[in-house]
Amino acid sequence: MGDQADEASGASPQPDRRGEHAEAGGAQARHRSLWKELLLLAVIAIVLALLIKTFLLQAFSIPSDSMQNTLQRGDRVLVDKLTPWFGSQPRRGEVVVFHDPSNWLEGEPSESNIAQDFLSAIGLMPSANEKDLIKRVIAIGGDTVECRRNGPVKVNGKALDEPYIFPGDTPCNDKPFGPLKVPDGAIWVMGDHRQKSSDSRWHMQDPKTHGFVPVKDVIGRAIVIAWPPPRWATLPIPRTFSQPGIGDQFNRQ
């Protein structure tokens, strides 16, 4: 009777779709899990980038010609920010990045683009609105520095041999100076393209800094040209800064 009732009703057995529902639910769960993992990895990458930028290395773009031929406009340099955290002081001959000490960049336009805005947002590059400069340390606290017309730059009475100066430039004919004693906790900086560098020489009348850069404003030392690839190179300290009598003997190339 039961079999006849089934036939009379015309009902057919329904397939069991519980397994299909389980598979679909599992796929959705895996999809959500994948997105969560990707989001977590992105967060971790951003945090690491911020930590590296804050404590270890930061990339800076060269905006001008003031450090030619050592650095060209558009070069990207990596700046060591770690050693200053351990009390290391700038040394003669280093190329350093520092915050604008007293409106040295007043009136200079800020160049920005989408790539820099994105990289600065995650800490891999400084914001275009940040006022930072890059120059070479010529003298440090306690040094006496001078440069007379047609003469070389002298530090503590020792003439510097400066092969890094832009070809055709003079050491200081456009702006002779000194002798000046660098205050403790400060540095005297000059660009390698002397006739295109608004460096310490041009701010000696500044009532705040007198042309000297406070060490506290130094972000770090530029150690390598990282971009573009054909210009990959380190930025060592020139040998002239390790000559006997100039000061400490730890500045070695």
Side-chain angles (χ1 to χ4, degrees):
M1 293 291 291
D3 293 339
Q4 293 175 351
D6 288 339
E7 291 175 5
S9 67
S12 60
Q14 298 295 316
D16 186 353
R17 298 184 178 277
R18 288 174 296 178
E20 294 179 13
H21 292 316
E23 288 182 8
Q28 292 177 356
R30 287 193 297 272
H31 189 67
R32 288 194 297 269
S33 177
L34 177 61
W35 278 107
K36 288 181 180 178
E37 290 178 7
L38 290 175
L39 179 60
L40 179 60
L41 288 173
V43 171
I44 291 174
I46 292 173
V47 170
L48 287 175
L50 290 172
L51 289 174
I52 291 172
K53 176 254 184 181
T54 303
F55 299 106
L56 299 177
L57 293 171
Q58 186 172 356
F60 284 82
S61 176
I62 305 305
S64 72
D65 300 327
S66 68
M67 282 297 293
Q68 286 182 321
N69 272 334
T70 305
L71 299 172
Q72 302 291 342
R73 185 191 296 262
D75 283 352
R76 292 333 191 244
V77 297
L78 293 182
V79 173
D80 168 22
K81 301 178 69 175
L82 178 63
T83 50
W85 283 90
F86 292 95
S88 176
Q89 299 291 305
R91 296 190 296 172
R92 305 177 195 90
E94 291 182 343
V95 175
V96 296
V97 174
F98 54 95
H99 296 306
D100 189 340
S102 184
N103 293 321
W104 286 20
L105 293 174
E106 185 177 10
E108 294 279 343
S110 296
E111 297 182 3
S112 179
N113 55 58
I114 295 175
Q116 181 167 359
D117 290 343
F118 172 75
L119 293 173
S120 65
I122 62 174
L124 293 180
M125 285 190 70
S127 167
N129 295 321
E130 290 185 21
K131 299 295 187 180
D132 301 322
L133 301 95
I134 185 166
K135 304 290 181 188
R136 189 179 297 277
V137 178
I138 299 299
I140 60 176
D143 286 345
T144 297
V145 60
E146 65 178 309
C147 184
R148 303 295 177 88
R149 187 173 298 277
N150 298 323
V153 175
K154 292 183 179 181
V155 177
N156 299 327
K158 298 294 181 179
L160 298 183
D161 175 21
E162 299 187 282
Y164 45 79
I165 291 180
F166 186 79
D169 277 8
T170 61
C172 68
N173 277 6
D174 56 324
K175 190 69 172 177
F177 64 91
L180 302 168
K181 185 169 183 179
V182 183
D184 290 338
I187 55 177
W188 178 269
V189 299
M190 299 174 73
D192 289 355
H193 198 340
R194 294 287 159 82
Q195 273 68 72
K196 281 197 174 181
S197 178
S198 179
D199 48 39
S200 288
R201 298 170 295 155
W202 296 94
H203 301 277
M204 292 185 291
Q205 303 305 316
D206 177 67
K208 179 181 177 182
T209 65
H210 303 288
F212 303 107
V213 177
V215 170
K216 65 179 179 61
D217 288 336
V218 175
I219 297 170
R221 175 188 173 186
I223 55 175
V224 65
I225 302 172
W227 191 265
R231 287 190 44 74
W232 284 347
T234 58
L235 297 169
I237 297 175
R239 292 185 179 277
T240 189
F241 291 95
S242 62
Q243 60 180 295
I246 199 171
D248 67 80
Q249 299 303 306
F250 299 102
N251 291 337
R252 301 294 186 198
Q253 203 175 51

